[in-house]
Amino acid sequence: MEAIGEPNRRRVVEVLAAGELSAGGIAAGFDISRPAVSQHLRVLVEAGVLRVRSEGRQRLYSVDPAALDEVGDWLEVQRGRWNRALDALEQAMDEGEP
């Protein structure tokens, strides 16, 4: 999922893991401009990583856990591939020992 490939966006997701916040509440924890935070929020909402709901004049953002399942599934596949490759390497090294 490309949307969380950018470090600031990953940080937004980490911040929102504790609960929903307004854009201003999210931006308060960043050293980038509020428009830049808003742009990151827009990308994450469009990718389905974040949910947004209106409460009065505020828009509150939260993480959509279902979207992160896709990332978790991909990571599991990659872990399996690396584990198999490392096991094969270890076996080859053991067989090559005198």
Side-chain angles (χ1 to χ4, degrees), residues 4-75:
I4 60 173
E6 202 278 334
N8 286 309
R9 292 187 200 133
R10 284 195 303 272
R11 239 181 100 219
V12 167
V13 172
E14 290 169 5
V15 167
L16 290 175
E20 69 180 3
L21 287 172
S22 66
I26 295 165
F30 286 80
D31 292 333
I32 58 175
S33 69
R34 284 183 179 233
V37 171
S38 292
Q39 177 67 20
H40 289 306
L41 291 172
R42 184 184 65 77
V43 170
L44 290 167
V45 168
E46 287 177 0
V49 175
L50 299 183
R51 292 183 252 184
V52 60
R53 70 178 183 87
S54 295
E55 187 173 284
R57 291 181 14 205
Q58 282 192 326
R59 291 172 47 100
L60 298 173
Y61 295 86
S62 61
V63 174
D64 184 352
L68 297 180
D69 287 344
E70 179 183 338
V71 175
D73 293 344
W74 180 84
L75 285 172

